[in-house]
Structure formats: structure tokens, C-alpha cells
């Protein structure tokens, strides 16, 4: 998703009011909502009044026997739910990045896992043991494997189709790669989907070598019919930059379907199938061969396997 340089409006800079609004919707009173957030009722009431002022409309209907949301309040609460959950994911990721190298568990993760799966695993890990300290480093799959083999990470998560020698591995999720183009791209407006050989011959906007996504695509084409990929049209080191380039019409790209769900829903990108080509892949946890996982690293693997 392209980054915005515009500052957020005042109405969404502080999520506390939205958290309280969601709690009122669930619990039915400002007093109970305040208690669930460790606040006094007057403080919670003041926050909610400020939220109504910022939004510009009444969000709550206060009654003698409790409080309920107005129609506008219900609408704002439904919009706020995903944002509050995303902020919780962000907090978990930041907490991991802030930890120093003395953390109880050191994690290296490929970008797809770090962005779309690891935050909720870390929330579950902290819920099971709030004292757990986590250090997180993200990079491409080759860099993750190097970190685990070098002993600078206790556990890694990769998206490459092959696992480096010297590592034990366990599948923790399945992922699907998606061919995406801008709505104005010629492929988006024709009746038939691209063939595998057509995709292989097309220069794509791509991650750098060592990226699990690029590695998985190259292997899928090679196994399909011995096809080799064309040199990239543009190499960048982040998924966000690839999406911006494709949206801007520079060229097609193949990315994790998880990474483009928002753009597909908004219609800024179009997903295409590729005739006869299987673009599913395995996401794996890796750790040094012959060394069983212990403590938080073992707990994190268990959480990932449960799909929490």
C-alpha cells in the first residue's frame, strides 16, 4: 500500500476513544468500559465526549440503565475495529524490535511472515508469558537462513521453496502467490489468462535475489516446463515499493496474496491466474539441525502450528 505523506486528521490520532467506544458496545456501560481499561468513569466519559467532538456527531445514547451506541456510533465502531486490531499488531511488532540482543528469544523472519503472520503469533506468545522478551530481525529468506545457521537467531521463518542444509524445518502455513497488474495493463482487459511461458518471458517488478517469493516463482516456472524467468524490469527490496510500482503502471509483479488483499479489494490492483501454473508455497519455521527448540522459541513454534 503506498505511503501517505499527509498527517492524520485529529479525529484518528488517538485510538483510546475508539477502544472505549468498542468496549461500551460490548459491555453496555461507560463505567464497565472504563474499568476494563483501568480508567475512572469520569476520565472515560471525557475521552468519549472528545471523540464525539472530533468526529462531529453523537456516538452514544446515555440512559439511566446504561449506554448504547447511536446509529452513527455503530458505524464508527465497525470502522474502528480493524484499526484497533492493527494497532495491537503494530504494538507487538514494535515491542519485538525494541528488545536488545539479550532477549529470551531471537527471531529472524522473511518479510511476508513478519508483516502478515508474526504479529498475532507474538501477541499469543506474550499472552501466554507476559515476561517473554523478543528480538526480531526481518529480511529475505536467504538472510533468515544465514542468521539461524550463524546462531544469531534461535528460530527463523522462511518462504523459500528449499531449506538450507543444516536446518530443521516445519511447515507453519500455506501461502499463495498472486500475479497482479494495474487495472490499465493490457493483461487486465483480455479474456484469457497469461500462460506460464508468457509470464516467464515478461520482465517483472521483483524483489532482490534471495527473496523467497522470487525463488518460489522461479522454481515453479522451472518445474512446470523448464522455463527460466526474464531479467526483472525493476528490483526493489520491499513489498510496499513493488505494490506502488505496479499500481503506477510500471509492470506486473508476483507477490504473496496476503500482501495485496487490500489493493485487490480497493480495485487498485487486478489479480490474474496463470494457466497451468501452481503458485502455492509452504511457509516454514527453521532452526539448527540437531538442536531441539526450547523455551519461548518452542512456544512460538507451537503457536504458529496452531494457526493462532
Amino acid at each position: 500500500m503506498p505511503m501517505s505523506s499527509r498527517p492524520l486528521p485529529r479525529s484518528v490520532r488517538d485510538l483510546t476513544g475508539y477502544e472505549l467506544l468498542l468496549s461500551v458496545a460490548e459491555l453496555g456501560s461507560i463505567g464497565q468500559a472504563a474499568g476494563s481499561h483501568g480508567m475512572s468513569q469520569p476520565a472515560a466519559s471525557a475521552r468519549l465526549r472528545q471523540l464525539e467532538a472530533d468526529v462531529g456527531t453523537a456516538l452514544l445514547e446515555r440512559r439511566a440503565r446504561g449506554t448504547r451506541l447511536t446509529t452513527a456510533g455503530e458505524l464508527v465502531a465497525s470502522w474502528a475495529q480493524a484499526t484497533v486490531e492493527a494497532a495491537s499488531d503494530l504494538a507487538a511488532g514494535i515491542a519485538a524490535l525494541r528488545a536488545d540482543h539479550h532477549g529470551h528469544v531471537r527471531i529472524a523472519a522473511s518479510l511476508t511472515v513478519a508483516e502478515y503472520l508474526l504479529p498475532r503469533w507474538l501477541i499469543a506468545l506474550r499472552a501466554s508469558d507476559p515476561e517473554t522478551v523478543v528480538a526480531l530481525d526481518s529480511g529475505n529468506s536467504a538472510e533468515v537462513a544465514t542468521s539461524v545457521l550463524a546462531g544469531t537467531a534461535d528460530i527463523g521463518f522462511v518462504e523459500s521453496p528449499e531449506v538450507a542444509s543444516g536446518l530443521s524445518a516445519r511447515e507453519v502455513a500455506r501461502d499463495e502467490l498472486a500475479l497482479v497488474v494495474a487495472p490499465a495493463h493490457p493483461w487486465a482487459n483480455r479474456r484469457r489468462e497469461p500462460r506460464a511461458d508468457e509470464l516467464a518471458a515478461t520482465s517483472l517488478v521483483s524483489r532482490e535475489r534471495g527473496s523467497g517469493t522470487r525463488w518460489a516463482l522461479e522454481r515453479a516456472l522451472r518445474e512446470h516446463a523448464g522455463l527460466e524467468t526474464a531479467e526483472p524490469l525493476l528490483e526493489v527490496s520491499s513489498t510496499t515499493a513493488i505494490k506502488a510500482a505496479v499500481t503506477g503502471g510500471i509492470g506486473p509483479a508476483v507477490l504473496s496474496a496476503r500482501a495485496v488483499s487490500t489493493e485487490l479489494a480497493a480495485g487498485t490492483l487486478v489479480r490474474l491466474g496463470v494457466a497451468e501454473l501452481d503458485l502455492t508455497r509452504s511457509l516454514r519455521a527453521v532452526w539448527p539441525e540437531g538442536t531441539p527448540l526450547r523455551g519461548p522459541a518452542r512456544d512460538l513454534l507451537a503457536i504458529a502450528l496452531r494457526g493462532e
Side-chain angles (χ1 to χ4, degrees), residues 10-11 14 17-18 21 24 30 44-62 67-74 76:
R10 178 175 176 175
S11 59
D14 183 358
Y18 294 99
L21 185 69
V24 171
I30 294 176
S45 294
R47 286 279 189 157
L48 288 165
R49 283 194 297 271
Q50 183 61 56
L51 177 63
E52 290 178 311
D54 290 341
V55 173
T57 189
L59 304 177
L60 297 171
E61 184 180 345
R62 296 160 177 84
T67 304
R68 73 178 186 181
L69 274 60
T70 63
T71 300
E74 294 282 359
V76 170

Side-chain angles (χ1 to χ4, degrees), residues 52 105 116 169 187:
E52 290 178 311
V105 60
Y116 302 103
W187 284 359

Side-chain angles (χ1 to χ4, degrees), residues 1-6 238 240-241 244:
M1 183 167 53
M3 301 294 289
S4 172
S5 59
R6 294 177 298 175
S238 78
T240 299

Side-chain angles (χ1 to χ4, degrees), residues 106-110 137 140-158 163-169 284-289 291 293:
R106 300 164 301 169
I107 305 167
S110 66
D137 187 24
N140 62 43
S141 292
E143 291 167 341
V144 170
T146 298
S147 294
V148 176
L149 287 169
T152 58
D154 303 309
I155 186 170
F157 295 94
V158 298
V163 175
S165 176
L167 294 177
S168 294
R284 299 180 178 91
V286 295
W287 62 95
E289 197 171 58
T291 305
L293 290 173

Side-chain angles (χ1 to χ4, degrees), residues 242-275:
I242 292 178
K243 290 191 289 185
V246 177
T247 302
I250 291 179
V254 173
L255 294 167
S256 167
R258 287 181 168 90
V260 293
S261 59
T262 299
E263 289 76 15
L264 294 177
T268 56
L269 290 178
V270 176
R271 180 177 179 176
L272 304 173
V274 182

